[in-house]
Amino acid sequence: MKLISDNQQSQSRLREVLRSTYADASAERRQPTAKEIATLHHPFIDAMLEEILRCGQTAAVLSRIATADTEIFGIHIPKGVDVNFLSYAGYVAPPVGTVEEHKRSASSQASKDKTGVWDNNDISVFKPERWLRTDEKGEVEFVKNAGPTLQFGAGVRGCFGMMEIFYFPNRIESDDFAGRKLAYIELRMLVVFIVWNFELLQVSEELGTYRAVDRITHQPQKCYLRLKKAGW
């Protein structure tokens, strides 16, 4: 909510998109239904949700246990060692260094082009448009792999679920990934209902600080909102 409050232009655009996407609800002056929210999509709504997750830093640190002796960037990792890594550098802040390509594993080198790389010039800026691109037909589309993000982890031990389940539910036949899917649905409904009904105004610098404590999750210390009823 802080990110929405502090980025008024993005908030206004989101509200306009919500009114047009859920056109029946807007015309009838009512709340969008759960079915409308879950089935009617717009690229900018998806981009806002991803940028909130990227900048919100929900999980500051991820951890894995080496199940076998291995090597990461030329460094030997014995079996059983805890490997902790930040989900910050390279995601919402410039990388702390560079990795020589020959030190990457073969699988890493083979998959490096599957996900984009954020521009360091604006990597710390809240910018939903970074998740959008215009296709050959001139239509704006949401790009799920526009850049790296690890809020749900990755690989076989990432949080249960896949982005495709939420953004492209008709392509998925299994409900085995309900955890991550549920998180996206909850976030979408929360954001839609709040922005649909209220304008989130900026609060004072003292109350609007992003000071937080990192435990299992990233926990903000100042959680305040200043609301104004949204007009039609």
Side-chain angles (χ1 to χ4, degrees):
M1 294 301 106
K2 285 179 181 287
L3 294 167
I4 297 176
S5 297
D6 289 343
N7 293 275
Q8 293 291 310
Q9 186 173 352
S10 294
Q11 179 187 161
S12 296
R13 182 180 176 187
L14 175 61
R15 189 173 294 105
E16 292 175 0
V17 168
L18 294 179
R19 300 289 195 224
S20 60
T21 302
Y22 310 126
D24 289 345
S26 183
E28 297 168 10
R29 302 294 180 92
R30 60 169 173 80
Q31 306 295 321
T33 65
K35 182 178 180 180
E36 288 172 327
I37 294 174
T39 59
L40 299 177
H41 292 262
H42 187 284
F44 189 72
I45 299 175
D46 297 334
M48 278 289 289
L49 297 180
E50 287 303 325
E51 190 69 350
I52 289 171
L53 286 171
R54 186 187 76 88
C55 294
Q57 305 169 49
T58 307
V61 179
L62 298 177
S63 178
R64 293 290 184 269
I65 298 177
T67 58
D69 289 347
T70 187
E71 188 176 284
I72 300 178
F73 302 147
I75 300 174
H76 177 66
I77 308 294
K79 178 181 178 180
V81 167
D82 287 324
V83 181
N84 300 299
F85 48 97
L86 299 175
S87 61
Y88 187 79
Y91 302 93
V92 290
V96 295
T98 57
V99 177
E100 297 177 29
E101 195 64 24
H102 72 275
K103 291 184 177 180
R104 297 182 181 274
S105 66
S107 59
S108 175
Q109 294 183 47
S111 62
K112 68 176 183 178
D113 295 328
K114 293 182 179 180
T115 301
V117 177
W118 302 130
D119 184 347
N120 287 338
N121 293 319
D122 65 3
I123 194 172
S124 300
V125 176
F126 183 83
K127 183 181 176 183
E129 291 78 11
R130 72 176 74 248
W131 297 90
L132 303 174
R133 72 180 177 194
T134 302
D135 64 18
E136 297 177 352
K137 299 179 180 180
E139 297 180 355
V140 176
E141 62 181 7
F142 168 72
V143 184
K144 63 174 182 173
N145 293 324
T149 179
L150 279 178
Q151 294 311 313
F152 290 98
V156 296
R157 290 175 177 80
C159 290
F160 291 141
M162 296 164 33
M163 210 176 291
E164 287 86 352
I165 293 178
F166 187 68
Y167 292 120
F168 310 104
N170 293 332
R171 301 181 189 177
I172 306 298
E173 297 179 356
S174 172
D175 291 326
D176 294 340
F177 308 103
R180 184 169 178 171
K181 178 181 179 181
L182 178 60
Y184 272 109
I185 291 175
E186 289 178 335
L187 177 62
R188 176 177 287 256
M189 297 189 85
L190 176 69
V191 170
V192 168
F193 282 130
I194 290 179
V195 176
W196 184 272
N197 291 285
F198 299 100
E199 292 182 29
L200 281 69
L201 308 178
Q202 288 184 285
V203 300
S204 67
E205 184 176 348
E206 177 184 1
L207 298 180
T209 176
Y210 284 80
R211 188 180 301 114
V213 174
D214 288 320
R215 294 192 174 92
I216 295 177
T217 58
H218 189 71
Q219 302 177 9
Q221 298 302 290
K222 298 286 186 178
C223 302
Y224 295 92
L225 292 176
R226 189 160 69 97
L227 304 176
K228 176 183 176 182
K229 185 68 176 177
W232 292 92

